[in-house]
């Protein structure tokens, strides 16, 4: 048994990735699934799609690699966070579609809770803000709006989980109802300091605690995959939310190290060690990973729309057919035009946290073409990242932290699909005025999940030795003059302020 299977269940697709005993990627299988938008600002997934694409890609990747099931030592799971599911504990039948992390239907509920003065308490316990992004209010919505569900939940007939929990339950045939600390920390229900579900918040949201899963370490025993799925039982030994798995995969194990992942959204995490740093800039305090019962904390900035802005160019405007077309388009944009796109399609995340605002485009002329839209789309990700980093610098410095660092120099480690774009990463380095390091292994989210599982079963090295395996593919360094940087970022800030006030 020499391979680790990583399940990466994402917002738009499910993937399965096999890594060998040297942590080298062997094969990948991927399958997209349908997004459902039943109302303005609502985003849902069919739970059956999440399960079928996960199981299907696991089978496909083993076959594609030419391996036998007995070659797979263990499974690690990483997943889209905050997405909320409720299902029958006997049949496994969901009571409603999965409500996706991007969904904004509970904005009014969150506003009411803030107005009633509850946010300070919630933030103190969870590190989070009262925002529709998180699972707790989504779960309350299901309990309050789906007929008969609250009565069934109070009778102990229903279970709640984020996507990892749902997949673990399905993979083990209902034998294990568990999550890891990183996913629990995103529910709005978990006390990240005491390491347990908050009865105070559950009471506030009227959520029966018998629905909640057991919380375990990121590398831990999550049961055995039932043998009829893949031909033999396989242990599940690693679980982490996607952004935390990427933090692990990027080997950001020292306080002050920083990574940013560019998938559907963009998520920057700063390792703050054993200290849960409280942000003064509306960033999130969260758990980066938990090993041997000890949590390592992080500051996180969440951008809702990153790679999704490229999907909008493809599926909404239909000005590209493939994501790879954005780079040559951006390179051909008119330098005399300054089109600014604020991709607030589902509101703005950190550091603004405005659920009501919507996307806007500024600076259009009659000569604005697909080239200018493509450049503005890629630039919007760089601008949003700078917003996060400036907030992080302030919070980290106020807690006595040194410069954000990688080997002593302020550096951002990047991963995710958009990080493959040299143009986007060079602009990112230019606009944040700092080096950007892209690793050889871009599949850092899957690698993080694989390492957690592989380390737990003894196939992979421990934390310090794993950190030494991180390898640089390319370093991007700033090449933009200060006047241009200041002018472009000022235009972005004015565009955001106009969007927020609309």
């Amino acid at each position: 048994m020499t391979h680790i299977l990583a399940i990466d269940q994402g917002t738009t697709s499910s993937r399965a990735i096999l890594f060998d005993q040297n942590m080298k990627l062997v094969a990948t299988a991927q399958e997209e699934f349908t997004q459902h938008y039943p109302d303005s600002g609502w985003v849902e997934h069919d739970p059956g799609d999440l399960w079928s694409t996960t199981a299907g890609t696991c089978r496909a990747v083993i076959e594609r690699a030419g391996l036998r099931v007995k070659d797979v030592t263990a499974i690690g799971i990483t997943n889209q966070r905050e997405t909320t599911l409720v299902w029958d504990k006997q049949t496994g039948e969901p009571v409603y579609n999965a409500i996706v992390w991007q969904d904004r239907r509970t904005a009014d509920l969150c506003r009411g809770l803030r107005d009633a003065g509850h946010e300070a308490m919630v933030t103190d316990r969870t590190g989070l803000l009262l925002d529709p992004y998180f699972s707790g209010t989504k779960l309350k919505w299901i309990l309050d709006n789906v007929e008969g569900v609250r009565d069934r939940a109070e009778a102990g007939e229903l279970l709640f989980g984020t996507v990892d929990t749902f997949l673990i339950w399905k993979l083990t045939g209902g034998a294990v109802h568990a999550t890891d600390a990183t996913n629990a920390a995103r529910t709005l229900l978990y006390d990240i300091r005491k390491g347990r579900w908050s009865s105070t918040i559950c009471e506030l949201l009227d959520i029966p605690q018998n629905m909640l899963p057991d919380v375990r370490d990121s590398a831990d025993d999550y049961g055995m995959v039932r043998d009829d799925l893949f031909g033999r039982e396989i242990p599940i030994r690693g679980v982490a939310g996607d952004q935390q798995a990427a933090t692990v995969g990027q080997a950001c194990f020292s306080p002050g190290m920083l990574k940013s992942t560019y998938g559907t959204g963009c998520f920057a995490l700063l390792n703050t060690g054993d200290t849960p740093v409280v942000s003064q800039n509306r960033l999130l305090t969260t758990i980066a990973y938990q090993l041997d019962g000890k949590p390592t904390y992080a500051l996180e900035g969440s951008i809702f729309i990153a790679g999704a802005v490229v999907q909008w160019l493809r599926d909404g405007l239909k000005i590209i057919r493939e994501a790879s077309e954005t780079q040559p388009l951006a390179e051909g944009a008119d330098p005399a035009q300054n089109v600014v796109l604020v991709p607030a399609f589902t509101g703005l995340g950190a550091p603004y946290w405005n659920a009501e605002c919507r996307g806007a485009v500024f600076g259009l002329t009659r000569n604005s073409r697909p080239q200018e839209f493509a450049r503005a789309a890629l630039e919007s990700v760089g601008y949003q990242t700078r917003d996060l980093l400036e907030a992080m610098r302030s919070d980290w410095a106020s807690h006595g932290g040194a410069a954000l660092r990688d080997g002593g120099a302020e550096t951002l480690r990047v991963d995710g699909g958009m990080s493959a774009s040299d143009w986007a990463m060079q602009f990112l380095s230019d606009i944040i005025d700092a080096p950007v390091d892209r690793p050889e292994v871009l599949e850092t989210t899957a690698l993080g999940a694989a390492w957690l599982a592989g380390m737990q079963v003894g196939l992979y090295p421990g934390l310090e030795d794993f950190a030494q395996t991180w390898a640089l593919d390319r370093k991007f360094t700033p090449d933009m003059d200060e006047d241009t940087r200041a002018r472009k970022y000022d235009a972005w800030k004015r565009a955001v302020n106009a969007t927020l006030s609309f």
Side-chain angles (χ1 to χ4, degrees):
M1 296 190 290
T2 55
H3 290 71
I4 299 293
L5 173 60
I7 293 172
D8 183 358
Q9 202 300 299
T11 309
T12 58
S13 68
S14 299
R15 301 188 309 146
I17 304 96
L18 274 169
F19 293 89
D20 67 14
Q21 60 192 17
N22 298 312
M23 295 182 290
K24 299 298 183 184
L25 192 152
V26 174
T28 300
Q30 182 171 358
E31 187 175 347
E32 292 190 358
F33 51 83
T34 302
Q35 309 291 301
H36 300 277
Y37 308 100
D39 204 344
S40 177
W42 294 27
V43 189
E44 296 179 358
H45 293 155
D46 182 338
D49 289 343
L50 302 181
W51 169 239
S52 65
T53 56
T54 295
T57 52
C58 286
R59 295 188 185 99
V61 77
I62 295 171
E63 181 178 346
R64 186 169 299 171
L67 298 176
R68 297 162 298 180
V69 176
K70 69 178 184 179
D71 296 321
V72 179
T73 310
I75 289 175
I77 297 174
T78 184
N79 55 283
Q80 54 168 311
R81 305 171 305 170
E82 297 94 18
T83 295
T84 300
L85 299 102
V86 176
W87 64 95
D88 186 292
K89 69 189 305 182
Q90 298 299 325
T91 67
E93 188 67 25
V95 302
Y96 189 76
N97 273 350
I99 302 181
V100 180
W101 58 272
Q102 298 165 314
D103 190 283
R104 312 304 286 172
R105 75 185 65 187
T106 63
D108 289 343
L109 170 60
C110 292
R111 187 184 306 107
L113 291 168
R114 286 196 301 271
D115 292 346
H118 296 298
E119 186 164 67
M121 179 275 292
V122 169
T123 299
D124 178 67
R125 285 165 171 74
T126 69
L128 310 178
L129 302 171
L130 280 170
D131 188 87
Y133 179 27
F134 306 109
S135 311
T137 57
K138 301 180 194 298
L139 173 54
K140 179 174 173 56
W141 187 94
I142 293 174
L143 291 171
D144 290 344
N145 290 276
V146 181
E147 185 177 358
V149 164
R150 178 167 292 283
D151 289 342
R152 294 175 64 194
E154 291 175 350
E157 298 175 6
L158 302 179
L159 301 176
F160 153 77
T162 45
V163 171
D164 59 306
T165 303
F166 180 67
L167 294 181
I168 292 166
W169 196 91
K170 296 286 284 185
L171 287 165
T172 62
V176 178
H177 181 224
T179 189
D180 90 301
T182 71
N183 279 294
R186 313 299 297 187
T187 61
L188 204 73
L189 305 173
Y190 188 71
D191 190 321
I192 62 173
R193 289 177 174 82
K194 295 181 178 178
R196 65 191 186 204
W197 298 112
S198 170
S199 57
T200 303
I201 299 175
C202 288
E203 183 177 341
L204 175 66
L205 297 179
D206 198 15
I207 291 171
Q209 285 190 251
N210 60 16
M211 302 181 70
L212 306 182
D214 180 42
V215 181
R216 303 181 182 178
D217 285 346
S218 303
D220 210 327
D221 184 348
Y222 288 88
M224 304 291 286
V225 175
R226 64 181 203 256
D227 57 11
D228 62 308
L229 278 176
F230 307 126
R232 62 172 280 265
E233 291 186 335
I234 306 172
I236 305 170
R237 293 295 181 266
V239 178
D242 52 10
Q243 303 313 316
Q244 285 91 343
T247 303
V248 170
Q250 286 277 33
C252 290
F253 295 135
S254 299
M257 293 188 72
L258 174 69
K259 74 89 198 175
S260 190
T261 298
Y262 298 93
T264 301
C266 164
F267 303 87
L269 267 74
L270 167 67
N271 185 321
T272 65
D274 58 7
T275 303
V277 172
V278 179
S279 176
Q280 303 303 311
N281 296 284
R282 296 183 66 76
L283 298 179
L284 307 176
T285 306
T286 195
I287 296 174
Y289 50 88
Q290 181 168 302
L291 301 174
D292 299 322
K294 180 182 178 181
T296 294
Y297 295 97
L299 273 176
E300 177 176 328
S302 307
I303 297 169
F304 299 149
I305 302 294
V309 75
V310 176
Q311 291 177 320
W312 175 69
L313 296 179
R314 182 192 67 185
D315 303 333
L317 297 187
K318 300 188 185 302
I319 61 176
I320 61 171
R321 288 172 294 182
E322 301 290 340
S324 59
E325 296 175 28
T326 54
Q327 178 161 322
L329 281 174
E331 291 170 343
D334 180 3
Q337 294 191 51
N338 189 26
V339 177
V340 179
L341 168 63
V342 182
F345 304 144
T346 57
L348 283 173
Y352 307 105
W353 292 108
N354 187 303
E356 285 77 29
C357 69
R358 292 295 179 261
V361 183
F362 299 86
L364 292 177
T365 72
R366 289 192 64 179
N367 292 327
S368 297
R369 306 160 299 161
Q371 287 90 332
E372 284 71 48
F373 271 85
R375 181 182 66 187
L378 296 182
E379 287 183 343
S380 72
V381 178
Y383 292 135
Q384 291 179 97
T385 304
R386 177 167 169 178
D387 288 342
L388 299 182
L389 298 194
E390 293 202 347
M392 284 183 171
R393 289 185 181 109
S394 174
D395 286 335
W396 186 231
S398 70
H399 282 76
L404 308 185
R405 68 182 186 85
D406 176 10
E410 187 172 293
T411 300
L412 176 65
R413 289 186 173 182
V414 297
D415 56 82
M418 188 175 282
S419 68
S421 168
D422 290 350
W423 193 97
M425 294 302 99
Q426 182 58 54
F427 179 78
L428 175 61
S429 177
D430 286 340
I431 204 65
I432 68 172
D433 194 22
V436 170
D437 282 0
R438 185 172 65 196
E440 286 184 354
V441 179
L442 285 181
E443 297 284 2
T444 53
T445 302
L447 177 61
W451 175 75
L452 289 167
M455 182 267 294
Q456 182 69 9
V457 296
L459 183 64
Y460 291 165
L463 185 147
E464 292 183 2
D465 289 339
F466 172 65
Q468 297 301 312
T469 68
W470 188 93
L472 179 70
D473 167 54
R474 178 171 173 179
K475 180 182 287 290
F476 299 86
T477 56
D479 190 31
M480 180 182 285
D481 65 85
E482 183 54 39
D483 287 345
T484 301
R485 180 182 301 113
R487 174 177 53 82
K488 291 181 73 68
Y489 189 58
D490 179 66
W492 163 257
K493 296 296 284 187
R494 287 187 285 114
V496 169
N497 287 334
T499 302
L500 291 170
S501 64
F502 178 71

